[in-house]
Amino acid sequence: MIDAIIANNDEFTRWRQDIHRHPELGFEEQRTAQLVVDKLTAWGFDEVHTGIGGTGVVGVLRGSKPGTRTIGLRADMDALAMTEQNTFDYASQTEGRMHGCGHDGHTTMLLAAAWYLAEHRDFAGTVHFIFQPAEEGLAGAQVMIDAGLFERFPCDRVYGLHNMPGIPAGELWVRNGALLAGSDRFVIDIQAKGGHAAMPQHTVDPMPVVASIISSAQTVVSRNTSPLDSAVLSFTDLHAGSGTFNVIPNDARMMGCVRTFDEGVREHALARFRTLVESSAEAYGARATLTIRPGSYPATVNDSDAFELACDVAKGLVGEEKVNTDCQPLSGSEDFSFMLRAVPGCYLFLGNGLEGEKGGVSVHNPQYDFNDAIIPTGASFFVAMVQRELAPR
C-alpha cells in the first residue's frame, strides 16, 4: 500500500467518524456533500461540480501527463433510516439515522485517494471522482446518470468498492460477471368480496388467495428456474383486514422482492410469477394484480477486461493470498449496477473483518461500524487503479 496514505490514516479516520456522527438519508446529504466539496476545492481540483442528481458531487482531476482516457471512481454517501445502538463517542447524533452500511467509509476512502492523487498527478488522462447520493433503495446512481453524469463526465471505465463484514479485514474479493443480484420489488393487490365471517358462502375470501400465492410462488424458484441458475423470491409484508375477528376483508396487499443474477432468468421468473398470481386469484373467484415497483436494481455485472485489471492491481497491492478472484456472488443488490450498465467497470468487496473481530458486525445492523483500519487499503486500490489505467504511454 501507499506509505503516505497509511501515515495519514489518523486524519482520514477523523473524517470518517465525523461523517458517521452526522448521517444523512438519500438525497439529503447536504452536509456530507459540502464536506466533499470543501476538501476537493482545497486540494486544487480542476473542477468541482455539485447538485448532480440532487446532492451528487463530481470532482475532476487532470493528470500532468498528456492523455485522453478517463476513469471514474465512485463512492456512495447516504445513511440508513435506523437507530444506532453503538455507544462510542462518534455514534450517530441523529435519532433514526445511522451509517449502518459503511458509506461513511466509502466516502472517506475516495477522499483519501483524491487527496493523494491531487498531490501526485503523474498520470495521463482524467479522473472523475463520483460521490453519489441515495444508494439505499432510491437508485441515486440512475438519477445521476439521468442527469447527464456520463455525458458531462465521460468515463472509459468506472470502479467502486464496498466494505464487507465476514471477509478478513483488508482482503479484496471479486468475480467476473455477476457479483450482486438484481432486485425487483413487487406489490400484489388482491380484490375480493368481504362479508361476515359466519357466512363465507356469501363472500370471496382473499385469505385463501394469499395462502395459495405464498405457497405456490416458491415453485417459480424450485420448478421454473434451472437448478444451475439462481433466484430468490421473498414475501416481506402482508396486510388484510381491519383488526376484527368476524369480518372477511374485501382486499389484501402483499409485498416482497425477486432477486436474480441473469436477465433471462429474471424475465422468465417475473413472467411465471405474474401468471401464477393472476391464476391463483382467478381460481378462488378473486382478482390479483402484480406490480413491479420503480427502484428495482439490475444485477451488478463486472466487465471481464476491467475485472482482469482490477485483480492484477489488487494482487500487487495486498498480495495474491489476500485476493479472492472467484468469490461467491451475493444475493444482495447495489445501484452501482446502473453505472456498470452504462460504462464497463468493476466492483469489488473489501474485507471489513470477520465475525467476532473489529468490523465483523453485519451491515444494516444497529451495532455495525466501518473498520477504519481498511481505509488505506481502499484508498490505495483507487490510486493504483488510476496509475495503471492512466499510465503514461
Side-chain angles (χ1 to χ4, degrees), residues 71-389:
I71 299 301
L73 305 176
R74 173 268 202 177
D76 37 17
M77 299 186 293
D78 57 321
L80 287 159
M82 58 188 295
T83 298
E84 184 161 8
Q85 292 181 359
N86 292 311
T87 57
F88 41 61
D89 62 358
Y90 58 86
S92 171
Q93 296 181 359
T94 307
E95 183 73 16
R97 305 286 186 269
M98 176 191 176
H99 269 293
C101 201
H103 297 184
D104 50 345
H106 300 169
T107 298
T108 301
M109 290 189 294
L110 191 54
L111 281 173
W115 165 81
Y116 182 86
L117 287 168
E119 293 291 323
H120 302 83
R121 297 197 187 204
D122 51 345
F123 55 89
T126 302
V127 186
H128 293 140
F129 291 80
I130 303 167
F131 294 88
Q132 179 209 305
E135 189 280 328
E136 295 289 353
L138 297 174
Q142 185 63 57
V143 174
M144 289 190 81
I145 292 168
D146 292 342
L149 174 66
F150 292 125
E151 287 77 26
R152 296 175 62 185
F153 312 100
C155 296
D156 293 301
R157 287 189 181 137
V158 63
Y159 294 93
L161 292 171
H162 199 297
N163 82 96
M164 190 57 61
I167 296 177
E171 291 195 6
L172 287 160
W173 289 22
V174 65
R175 66 179 287 112
N176 195 9
L179 179 68
L180 288 151
S183 175
D184 287 283
R185 303 172 177 184
F186 66 79
V187 177
I188 300 171
D189 286 303
I190 301 168
Q191 291 82 42
K193 178 184 176 183
H196 200 295
M199 294 174 282
Q201 71 274 22
H202 299 306
T203 73
V204 177
D205 192 343
M207 297 308 190
V209 181
V210 168
S212 176
I213 291 174
I214 291 175
S215 61
S216 59
Q218 296 310 316
T219 63
V220 172
V221 175
S222 66
R223 288 297 177 265
N224 300 132
T225 302
S226 167
L228 303 180
D229 294 318
S230 297
V232 177
L233 197 161
S234 297
F235 292 92
T236 58
D237 193 83
L238 170 62
H239 289 279
S242 55
T244 66
F245 292 96
N246 63 350
V247 177
I248 292 174
N250 273 314
D251 48 44
R253 169 169 280 201
M254 309 160 71
M255 300 170 67
C257 60
V258 178
R259 296 174 183 265
T260 53
F261 293 93
D262 177 86
E263 185 62 23
V265 172
R266 171 185 176 269
E267 291 178 0
H268 180 70
L270 291 178
R272 178 63 187 138
F273 186 35
R274 186 179 302 279
T275 299
L276 186 148
V277 166
E278 293 172 355
S279 61
S280 294
E282 185 179 356
Y284 288 93
R287 184 164 58 91
T289 303
L290 172 67
T291 302
I292 304 300
R293 282 288 182 90
S296 299
Y297 289 4
T300 303
V301 181
N302 287 330
D303 171 75
S304 57
D305 290 337
F307 160 78
E308 293 292 345
L309 183 59
C311 289
D312 193 43
V313 168
K315 291 174 183 177
L317 186 69
V318 299
E320 188 168 355
E321 70 283 358
K322 293 185 178 181
V323 180
N324 183 342
T325 60
D326 192 26
C327 70
Q328 289 293 310
L330 295 183
S331 53
S333 302
E334 158 67 54
D335 83 343
F336 191 67
S337 56
F338 292 109
M339 294 193 181
L340 290 179
R341 289 205 304 184
V343 175
C346 191
Y347 198 60
L348 301 89
F349 297 139
L350 172 59
N352 202 55
L354 296 174
E355 185 177 357
E357 300 176 351
K358 181 177 177 59
V361 176
S362 173
V363 294
H364 293 226
N365 182 298
Q367 294 181 328
Y368 164 86
D369 189 30
F370 182 86
N371 186 350
D372 294 309
I374 69 171
I375 293 173
T377 309
S380 295
F381 174 81
F382 282 135
V383 171
M385 287 305 309
V386 170
Q387 292 171 337
R388 284 291 296 276
E389 284 275 22

